[in-house]
């Protein structure tokens, strides 16, 4: 099997398995991807690059995977507070890119990490382990083939 076919198979397997996850597990996955992309973007800034693709993916995940999914009628104050944090994160990512500041990116990571950990503690554990195992194997394969991580 060539590398292209292997990547397509892995992506299809991930897409199929994600459909069976609980909402909390999906939130955990989104947080993991956001934090991964922020770390990649931070490394790019430290290396003198702009990290455009990584920051764009983190931005999309925050907007479409976290912010857009908030239910203000069900979550009321919690949803409003999370919304404020997500919007702050989006602004800080833009500032970090403009200022080329890895420190600002780290601030966003530092704010999002406790939220990720809270969701991780709430998500059903059984399927979550298989998600993390799949992500680890996919990431190591991607690192070996030097392919770009997709959201």
């Amino acid at each position: 099997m060539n590398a292209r076919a292997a990547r397509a198979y892995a992506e299809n397997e991930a897409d199929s398995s994600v459909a069976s996850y609980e909402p909390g597990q999906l939130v955990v996955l989104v947080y993991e991807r956001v934090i991964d992309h922020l770390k990649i973007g931070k490394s790019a800034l430290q290396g003198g690059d702009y990290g455009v693709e990584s920051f764009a993916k983190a931005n999309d995940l925050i907007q479409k995977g976290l912010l857009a999914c908030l239910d203000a009628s069900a979550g009321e104050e919690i949803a409003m507070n999370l919304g404020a944090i997500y919007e702050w994160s989006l602004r800080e990512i833009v500032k970090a890119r403009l200022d080329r500041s890895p420190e600002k990116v780290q601030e966003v990571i530092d704010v999002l990490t406790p939220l990720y950990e809270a969701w991780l503690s709430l998500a059903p554990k059984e399927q979550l382990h298989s998600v993390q195992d799949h992500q680890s194997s996919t990431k190591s394969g991607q690192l070996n083939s030097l392919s770009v991580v997709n959201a």
Side-chain angles (χ1 to χ4, degrees):
M1 182 181 301
N2 66 27
R4 185 176 179 190
R7 277 193 300 272
Y9 176 78
E11 288 174 11
N12 185 36
E13 182 182 332
D15 289 343
S16 300
S17 62
V18 166
S20 66
Y21 294 144
E22 298 290 325
Q25 293 169 320
L26 293 174
V27 172
V28 168
L29 290 175
V30 172
Y31 270 105
E32 288 175 350
R33 301 307 301 148
V34 167
I35 292 170
D36 286 346
H37 288 302
L38 290 174
K39 288 179 179 178
I40 293 167
K42 177 184 165 189
S43 293
L45 289 178
Q46 289 170 329
D49 195 7
Y50 288 101
V52 173
E53 187 173 349
S54 297
F55 289 126
K57 289 178 181 180
N59 188 319
D60 284 348
L61 286 165
I62 292 169
Q63 285 184 5
K64 298 174 186 174
L66 296 175
L67 192 58
C69 297
L70 291 175
D71 186 354
S73 63
E76 298 178 8
E77 187 177 348
I78 293 172
M80 289 179 17
N81 291 338
L82 286 172
I85 291 169
Y86 300 152
E87 289 172 2
W88 170 85
S89 298
L90 293 169
R91 287 190 305 272
E92 290 302 302
I93 292 168
V94 170
K95 288 179 189 175
R97 287 185 58 209
L98 290 173
D99 298 342
R100 298 185 72 146
S101 172
E103 296 80 17
K104 284 186 182 179
V105 177
Q106 186 60 51
E107 289 174 14
V108 175
I109 293 169
D110 291 344
V111 168
L112 294 179
T113 297
L115 297 174
Y116 160 70
E117 290 168 349
W119 277 103
L120 188 61
S121 71
L122 295 172
K125 305 295 185 253
E126 200 167 291
Q127 280 185 322
L128 200 53
H129 291 294
S130 63
V131 171
Q132 291 170 338
D133 294 341
H134 174 75
Q135 284 185 336
S136 296
S137 65
T138 303
K139 283 182 190 176
S140 62
Q142 288 173 336
L143 291 175
N144 290 337
S145 65
L146 296 175
S147 64
V148 177
V149 178
N150 288 322

